Amino acid sequence: MFKRIQPVDKPVHLVFEEQPITACEGDSVAAALLAAGVTAFRQVARGDALRGPYCMIGNCYECRVEIDGKPNLQACQQRVRDGIQVRLQRGLRKPGERDEP
Amino acid sequence: MKDYDVAIIGGGLLGSAFAWGLADRGLRSVVFDEGDNAIRTARGNFGLVWVQGKGLGMPEYARWTLESSRQWVGFAERLRRETGVDTQYHRDGGFVICLDDDDFDSNVGLLEQLRREAGDGGYEFEIVEHVELRRRIPIVGDVPGATYCPHDGHCNPLRLLRALHTGYLNRGGEYRPWTRIGGLQARADGGFVVSAVDGKVVAAAAKLIVAAGHGSRELGSQVGLQVPIFPEQGQVVVTEKAAPVLNYPTNYVRQTDAGNFLLGPSSKNAGFDTSTEPATLRDITANCVRAFPLLDDFRVQRVWAALRVMTPDGFPVYQQSDSHPGAFSFACHSGVTLAANHALEVTEWVVRGDIPERYRPFHPRRFDVQANPASR
Amino acid sequence: MNPDVVVVGAGPAGISAALALDAAGAGVRIVDEQPRPGGQVYRALEQVSRNRPESLALYGDDYARGLELMTRLSASGVELSPATSVWDISIVDGRLGIGLVCDDRAEIVYPRHILLATGAMERPTPFPGWTLPGVMTVGAAQTLFKESALVPDCRPVIMGTGPLVYLFIRQMLAAGVTPALLLDTAPGHIPVPLWGDLLRAFVSAPKSLLKGVSWLRQIRHAGIDRVTGVGSIEARGDERLESIRYRVDGRTVELNTELLLVHDGVIPNSHLAMAAGCEHRWNRLQGYWQPVLDANGLSTRAGISIAGDSTAIAGADAAACSGRIVGSQLALALDFIDESRHRAETLGDRQRLERIAVTRRFIDRFYRPLEYFQTPLDPDTLVCRCEDVTSGEIQQVAALGCMGPNQGKAFTRCGMGPCMGRQCGNAVSHLFAHCHGKEVDEIGHYRIRSPIKPITVGQLSRLDLD
């Protein structure tokens, strides 16, 4: 949906659902994913409808993803960091799996 | 102006339960309710249908609570069948989690005394030590143990309100929102006239039920009802949703059907102040994280304070007016737990025009110190 | 250390207010959830001017003008707390407290006064299919453009109207992207009753008006199809947007597209002020809730002032003026300056605000919110994105006697999700108003609860109250 009109001068490497993505320092995670062609960020809790960024200023909470195992983070409010693992937020967070104390 | 069998002042959990029950008994009733921003205790409700620990010093209340919890099973099923609204009632028992040994000892002591007082009432509870507790609730933290009561359960109080409303309307009940009642008067030929705060007469009815929460004190006094209640603030924290991991309600945390965790509730006498306090929120969350460490990185969805209807001894105040027979008032803080009894049993008292002898302890005359020096 | 004033929001209003207070000698801390100051309008400006100054021209003159404000901020004594969000405002032991969260740490700060400059947000636009990936706001695309130099890799469809839409299209053209279609929701011609307003706006600010005319001409010359007076739209697709349908002149047109950018004007970002208990009233003309303020910018809650677009929408220039005025008023109220200095330093801004108001009068009357978005009557349209509640469900509970949004929450969970009603609030109030035959101000708005911004249970349990 989106492309960059500037070359990536300071690259940051992250992974979305096993797919390596090169982003630009200062990008939000949402911008990085959109530039890489990702459209769906989360799946709703009931049913299988997909959602993606709508407002990009932290108001709509539609761009929630899972970053390094932490669920429900707003991709538009998170900055890219080298090595982060980003995943689609699939429905509700599942405390038994990653959150075990 | 229409004539009704019963006019119900208040469309909260109590008023709605009475409305549903009276409609079920074939009476023509009307419910008067305030607007969208009324002080509504149902909204602050934790959703517990709770028996454990209630009724110390008043065994009638312990029995009344237990009876309602037993009625709840069939009640929830009827509501679901008749309205299609599932109140999400589960009666798998509940745990009172104790954060340290002193807490554990005093809680066990309380329950033992209650069992003695209740006599043959069938008050059951179980002491669950840490290892067994972990087996039943794997996500529990490093706590000494808990007490468990099989009668406890939980539901979605908002669904309950919706089910009662729907059932009432389906039976032709009349619901009149945006109508704040200001005046209750006896008619010369019997019955009552109800008027709004602007003085406009809005209904005439043979009987009256005052279930207007914090508005009951003033309204009740117009027809000889003393309603000694005061607001008690409770603060609640709600987290984001998660897949189900906590199958039992507990004293600190319960997970709703939707998946949110409810944390709290605190209690404080704060007049009509409904603002939350950071120190209280910190204490609620600190206890809950001790009980359930996995909540630590859960996002807080919202916090709120609601005003419970509290009586001087914490027990219900039920009465029919001596000076104006036919006028009843009911007030308590357990609108969810007692909903089944309110709908199924109390409505019969209203129809019959008499509160049975065994429920006399709920009359506010118990607060008269001379008459009853034992009251707490 | 507790500052005299905490300013919330480092956009034009907040920075200007902070600078005015700082110049008066007050201790000021300005907090903003973004990593850099600038607010939405000057978003990423410092970054762009440092890393890729050659691209500044793409964004237009108004954008670069914000640099001066940023430079003055860093040269001032104002303490800037970036990447910090405000989750609560309450009274703590009789003191005004503001809850901040930054880097996993939550604290309460106790200033003498709080100044809210939380800016604006785009009015949400519920319509069938608006939740499909590929449907975004124009502002969202503009944020991507400013912050990451992203532009659509296709020819998007744009629906909406108003200065922001035209500015954005101009920015896209400069960046080499030509939208396929502009579905303009404003009428094609200026209605006669507005001619007087237009004339006065022209006399007051001829340059702004001419700029607008030239933008429209550029849109036409660029070969963008522009349809005016569009009143409805539908987005269609399975896993993402595939096509749109709109109605014009009584016929339905369907068009394939993978990106639809929508804009229905901006509204004050009032969640924090509402949560803090500041009274708001419904502005029927502009279709938003605005705080009730006295002549000095004080809200109905003691110790809280509000400035800029979070009081009423008037744009970045007006926000800066408003910030300076409210900042100075506060400096006066806190005894840092005297009356004569306050009058002298705010005179110019007051006159400027009056001039801007003349232009706004025309803009507000011509670029109206679209009724189709405000009251989304189609029963299948999702109004609450978080809890998946449809317009039909709201209408159903209204028929059941449910009076308004707060009871509606209880009945449907609408507004109880993570966005806390930011997206559905206005639509839900409008739907209840429609069903009960009342006005929106009679129905009211959601009661907004803390926390306004994300905070975890653990952060709250370790809250630093000193």
Side-chain angles (χ1 to χ4, degrees):
Chain A
M1 271 193 312
F2 288 88
K3 64 182 181 196
R4 290 179 195 278
I5 53 167
Q6 299 280 329
V8 174
D9 46 358
K10 293 179 185 159
V12 175
H13 302 280
L14 58 144
V15 176
F16 178 74
E17 296 282 331
E18 325 299 340
Q19 167 203 351
I21 286 176
T22 304
C24 186
E25 192 187 85
D27 278 350
S28 63
V29 170
L33 298 188
L34 288 168
V38 176
T39 54
F41 285 50
R42 75 176 188 104
Q43 190 176 36
V44 301
R46 277 176 301 172
D48 49 12
L50 298 169
R51 302 283 173 82
Y54 171 74
C55 82
M56 282 301 293
I57 60 167
N59 272 337
C60 75
Y61 289 75
E62 287 288 38
C63 63
R64 281 173 285 153
V65 292
E66 188 185 289
I67 300 176
D68 289 339
K70 285 195 159 211
N72 284 328
L73 297 174
Q74 291 172 275
C76 75
Q77 300 298 90
Q78 300 284 324
R79 301 290 129 188
V80 291
R81 282 170 286 122
D82 254 319
I84 54 171
Q85 300 275 333
V86 184
R87 290 187 172 278
L88 188 78
Q89 177 66 45
R90 288 186 172 79
L92 302 181
R93 66 184 292 177
K94 295 165 190 71
E97 292 170 16
R98 286 190 177 78
D99 297 338
E100 197 66 21
Chain B
M1 185 181 66
K2 280 175 77 171
D3 249 301
Y4 298 91
D5 296 324
V6 186
I8 301 162
I9 320 301
L13 275 172
L14 268 73
S16 301
F18 299 137
W20 181 90
L22 289 171
D24 190 47
R25 293 172 189 278
L27 272 75
R28 287 176 357 103
S29 61
V30 58
V31 173
F32 292 103
D33 206 356
E34 290 188 43
D36 187 48
N37 268 318
I39 294 175
R40 218 167 278 281
T41 52
R43 273 192 217 140
N45 198 288
F46 209 60
L48 298 177
V49 177
W50 202 256
V51 176
Q52 196 170 175
K54 282 183 181 169
L56 192 66
M58 191 190 271
E60 297 83 359
Y61 177 52
R63 275 196 295 274
W64 179 239
T65 300
L66 181 58
E67 185 194 321
S68 195
S69 125
R70 288 191 170 126
Q71 297 256 38
W72 245 101
V73 182
F75 177 57
E77 175 53 26
R78 263 192 74 185
L79 286 175
R80 195 192 57 74
R81 212 174 45 232
E82 291 174 11
T83 65
V85 179
D86 182 357
T87 56
Q88 297 162 342
Y89 175 60
H90 301 283
R91 194 179 194 258
D92 301 320
F95 289 86
V96 169
I97 293 172
C98 305
L99 294 180
D100 56 44
D101 290 333
D102 287 349
D103 188 14
F104 203 6
D105 290 344
S106 65
N107 185 40
V108 170
L110 168 80
L111 294 185
E112 280 169 347
Q113 194 183 338
L114 269 168
R115 184 154 59 185
R116 278 193 301 275
E117 283 186 6
D120 296 332
Y123 201 99
E124 297 166 52
F125 75 94
E126 185 187 341
I127 298 165
V128 185
E129 305 277 352
H130 177 77
V131 175
E132 173 62 12
L133 184 59
R134 256 292 160 80
R135 198 185 64 73
R136 298 200 209 170
I137 307 180
I139 61 168
V140 80
D142 192 15
V143 299
T147 53
Y148 169 80
C149 171
H151 311 303
D152 294 332
H154 57 147
C155 76
N156 179 335
L158 306 177
R159 292 288 202 99
L160 169 62
L161 192 60
R162 182 171 176 174
L164 292 170
H165 263 253
T166 309
Y168 174 64
L169 294 179
N170 285 352
R171 288 191 170 82
E174 276 183 53
Y175 177 67
R176 308 251 293 264
W178 292 299
T179 314
R180 186 164 174 191
I181 300 305
L184 305 174
Q185 277 140 2
R187 267 195 315 207
D189 57 340
F192 300 88
V193 172
V194 179
S195 29
V197 274
D198 59 9
K200 195 177 154 228
V201 172
V202 287
K207 286 174 183 172
L208 271 184
I209 296 179
V210 180
H214 297 293
S216 296
R217 189 188 265 264
E218 201 282 313
L219 283 173
S221 68
Q222 300 182 21
V223 283
L225 296 161
Q226 285 168 28
V227 193
I229 53 170
F230 59 91
E232 183 189 79
Q233 198 207 51
Q235 297 182 31
V236 180
V237 174
V238 188
T239 72
E240 64 181 302
K241 294 180 192 174
V245 284
L246 179 59
N247 299 324
Y248 301 97
T250 75
N251 51 333
Y252 288 112
V253 177
R254 88 173 182 94
Q255 187 175 18
T256 68
D257 260 56
N260 312 80
F261 289 90
L262 291 187
L263 282 52
S266 70
S267 52
K268 186 182 74 142
N269 189 346
F272 284 90
D273 183 8
T274 57
S275 51
T276 55
E277 285 192 326
T280 311
L281 300 175
R282 180 194 58 191
D283 297 345
I284 291 175
T285 48
N287 282 336
C288 291
V289 169
R290 275 176 77 189
F292 297 100
L294 97 168
L295 291 174
D296 193 275
D297 82 335
F298 269 66
R299 218 191 47 242
V300 175
Q301 183 66 61
R302 65 190 165 278
V303 301
W304 76 77
L307 297 172
R308 265 175 238 140
V309 172
M310 195 45 73
T311 59
D313 56 7
F315 303 131
V317 170
Y318 294 171
Q319 64 191 306
Q320 176 169 203
S321 172
D322 292 329
S323 59
H324 297 71
F328 294 81
S329 89
F330 302 97
C332 70
H333 59 81
S334 312
V336 172
T337 300
L338 298 178
N341 277 1
H342 288 162
L344 302 170
E345 197 159 335
V346 172
T347 48
E348 193 193 316
W349 310 345
V350 174
V351 172
R352 234 182 22 228
D354 175 50
I355 297 179
E357 189 59 35
R358 57 189 279 235
Y359 300 109
R360 287 293 149 84
F362 296 158
H363 196 282
R365 73 172 64 92
R366 69 179 182 270
F367 301 117
D368 181 345
V369 179
Q370 276 81 30
N372 185 4
S375 73
R376 303 188 307 135
Chain C
M1 262 287 286
N2 290 314
D4 294 310
V5 181
V6 168
V7 176
V8 182
I15 297 175
S16 304
L19 290 173
L21 282 155
D22 179 59
V28 187
R29 180 169 173 188
I30 186 167
V31 301
D32 195 288
E33 61 185 346
Q34 290 305 311
R36 309 234 166 267
Q40 302 308 338
V41 63
Y42 303 131
R43 197 166 169 126
L45 175 55
E46 283 185 318
Q47 225 174 310
V48 174
S49 73
R50 197 178 50 240
N51 300 342
R52 41 188 175 99
E54 69 288 351
S55 60
L56 265 180
L58 290 176
Y59 299 95
D61 310 339
D62 289 343
Y63 184 58
R65 206 171 297 147
L67 270 177
E68 191 224 327
L69 212 51
M70 247 67 88
T71 314
R72 286 179 53 209
L73 177 65
S74 48
S76 74
V78 174
E79 184 194 351
L80 171 67
S81 302
T84 301
S85 41
V86 176
W87 59 273
D88 184 45
I89 292 178
S90 29
I91 302 294
V92 185
D93 292 333
R95 285 190 297 172
L96 182 65
I98 179 163
L100 307 178
V101 60
C102 175
D103 275 348
D104 202 37
R105 183 171 169 271
E107 62 170 336
I108 304 278
V109 172
Y110 305 90
R112 290 168 67 191
H113 205 94
I114 294 170
L115 195 155
L116 303 180
T118 49
M121 59 179 269
E122 287 175 285
R123 177 181 285 111
T125 56
F127 63 89
W130 73 309
T131 54
L132 285 170
V135 180
M136 300 171 86
T137 66
V138 168
Q142 200 185 37
T143 296
L144 290 165
F145 181 53
K146 288 174 184 170
E147 205 165 66
S148 299
L150 293 191
V151 297
D153 63 359
C154 56
R155 295 189 62 191
V157 172
I158 296 176
M159 168 143 179
T161 197
L164 182 78
V165 170
Y166 304 138
L167 169 66
F168 176 71
I169 293 177
R170 204 172 151 270
Q171 290 171 334
M172 288 300 99
L173 292 174
V177 176
T178 309
L181 172 66
L182 169 59
L183 298 173
D184 203 319
T185 51
H189 299 283
I190 293 163
V192 177
L194 295 189
W195 286 6
D197 289 331
L198 179 63
L199 185 67
R200 279 183 286 276
F202 183 78
V203 171
S204 157
K207 275 191 199 152
S208 309
L209 267 282
L210 289 174
K211 198 152 76 176
V213 172
S214 97
W215 289 354
L216 282 174
R217 196 179 313 128
Q218 281 183 44
I219 289 170
R220 205 162 40 237
H221 287 174
I224 301 168
D225 204 1
R226 176 168 174 243
V227 183
T228 54
V230 179
S232 71
I233 191 160
E234 244 179 86
R236 303 158 69 84
D238 189 13
E239 296 199 328
R240 52 175 296 181
L241 177 68
E242 289 161 20
S243 67
I244 57 155
R245 265 188 192 178
Y246 62 95
R247 281 186 70 76
V248 67
D249 297 337
R251 68 197 166 90
T252 302
V253 183
E254 182 150 2
L255 181 78
N256 289 341
T257 184
E258 57 177 286
L259 184 61
L260 170 66
L261 302 175
V262 195
H263 179 78
D264 195 34
V266 289
I267 59 177
N269 190 359
S270 49
H271 253 57
L272 181 56
M274 284 183 170
C278 303
E279 198 183 316
H280 283 65
R281 67 176 181 83
W282 178 248
N283 181 323
R284 208 172 288 181
L285 174 68
Q286 276 122 320
Y288 52 64
W289 294 95
Q290 65 183 97
V292 174
L293 301 172
D294 73 3
N296 295 316
L298 280 169
S299 74
T300 56
R301 271 289 300 269
I304 301 178
S305 299
I306 312 181
D309 268 4
S310 45
T311 66
I313 302 302
D317 281 351
C321 295
S322 156
R324 281 190 293 268
I325 294 172
V326 177
S328 174
Q329 275 160 340
L330 205 45
L332 172 66
L334 299 177
D335 278 336
F336 286 100
I337 58 172
D338 61 20
E339 182 74 41
S340 63
R341 173 171 163 186
H342 165 66
R343 265 203 305 270
E345 72 182 13
T346 54
L347 181 65
D349 282 321
R350 288 183 196 278
Q351 291 168 344
R352 194 147 164 211
L353 276 184
E354 281 171 21
R355 280 199 302 278
I356 294 173
V358 176
T359 326
R360 284 308 306 187
R361 190 179 151 84
F362 170 71
I363 292 176
D364 291 340
R365 276 156 204 270
F366 186 62
Y367 302 111
R368 301 295 322 282
L370 191 64
E371 186 52 32
Y372 179 73
F373 292 144
Q374 295 248 68
T375 314
L377 290 175
D378 164 66
D380 295 328
T381 296
L382 282 176
V383 290
C384 176
R385 287 172 163 260
C386 300
E387 297 288 337
D388 297 314
V389 180
T390 62
S391 167
E393 284 171 83
I394 299 296
Q395 295 177 54
Q396 199 188 335
V397 295
L400 208 61
C402 185
M403 293 163 278
N406 292 304
Q407 258 216 325
K409 267 199 231 182
F411 278 32
T412 65
R413 296 191 59 82
C414 192
M416 288 174 95
C419 98
M420 305 182 70
R422 285 174 172 88
Q423 295 298 311
C424 63
N426 276 356
V428 168
S429 292
H430 274 89
L431 284 169
F432 277 110
H434 172 86
C435 294
H436 293 308
K438 288 180 179 279
E439 296 292 339
V440 172
D441 34 8
E442 295 174 277
I443 292 293
H445 190 265
Y446 285 132
R447 190 159 166 194
I448 308 298
R449 315 270 190 187
S450 292
I452 280 310
K453 287 287 170 176
I455 181 171
T456 65
V457 173
Q459 287 164 349
L460 191 50
S461 74
R462 294 182 287 276
L463 175 65
D464 181 356
L465 273 164
D466 309 316

